[in-house]
Amino acid sequence: MDMDLEHRAKLQSIIDWAIENEISEDVIPRDIEALSQVTELELKNYNISELPESLGSLTNLNALSIIKCPLINFPACILNLKNLYFLSLEECQINKLPNQIDKLQHL
């Protein structure tokens, strides 16, 4: 896969975030090429209060589940996930979703 340096840097920042937050490699691969192909992401029982803006660079992501995480803020980067058709937020502390979330046509 041929990707530009900016996209690679965003994917690397997701990997760095995953390592910092002790998210399993089974959930977020540590290989940039593998991460770029992720279609489903389930974050369950992780002590995360926010998601990285760079999450919006996972353009193949079509399902995102966040379960039992103390997530407070939900970044606007979700609006970049044009292929997202499933979003589940269970037992989180999110008080507001991004404006224009209804622009995600498949959700």
Side-chain angles (χ1 to χ4, degrees):
M1 171 186 268
D2 184 33
M3 67 178 84
D4 63 36
L5 289 176
E6 182 180 355
H7 189 68
R8 283 186 164 290
K10 287 179 180 178
L11 292 173
Q12 184 61 53
S13 73
I14 294 170
I15 293 170
D16 295 344
W17 172 83
I19 292 168
E20 179 181 315
N21 287 283
E22 301 178 351
I23 296 173
S24 168
E25 193 168 342
D26 294 336
V27 175
I28 295 184
R30 301 309 193 254
D31 176 74
I32 288 176
E33 298 292 335
L35 181 59
S36 71
Q37 298 302 311
V38 167
T39 58
E40 297 180 4
L41 181 57
E42 180 180 270
L43 299 170
K44 185 174 184 179
N45 293 319
Y46 288 105
N47 188 27
I48 53 174
S49 58
E50 57 187 21
L51 299 173
E53 280 291 333
S54 54
L55 193 69
S57 63
L58 295 177
T59 54
N60 290 314
L61 196 66
N62 55 40
L64 175 60
S65 299
I66 303 172
I67 304 163
K68 295 184 180 180
C69 296
L71 190 65
I72 297 169
N73 295 320
F74 203 73
C77 70
I78 184 117
L79 301 175
N80 295 332
L81 302 174
K82 303 296 183 196
N83 294 318
L84 195 68
Y85 71 85
F86 179 82
L87 174 63
S88 175
L89 304 170
E90 298 177 34
E91 296 185 47
C92 296
Q93 301 168 2
I94 297 172
N95 54 17
K96 184 181 176 189
L97 290 174
N99 293 335
Q100 300 180 331
I101 196 160
D102 58 331
K103 300 289 185 203
L104 292 173
Q105 296 178 348
H106 302 293
L107 193 59

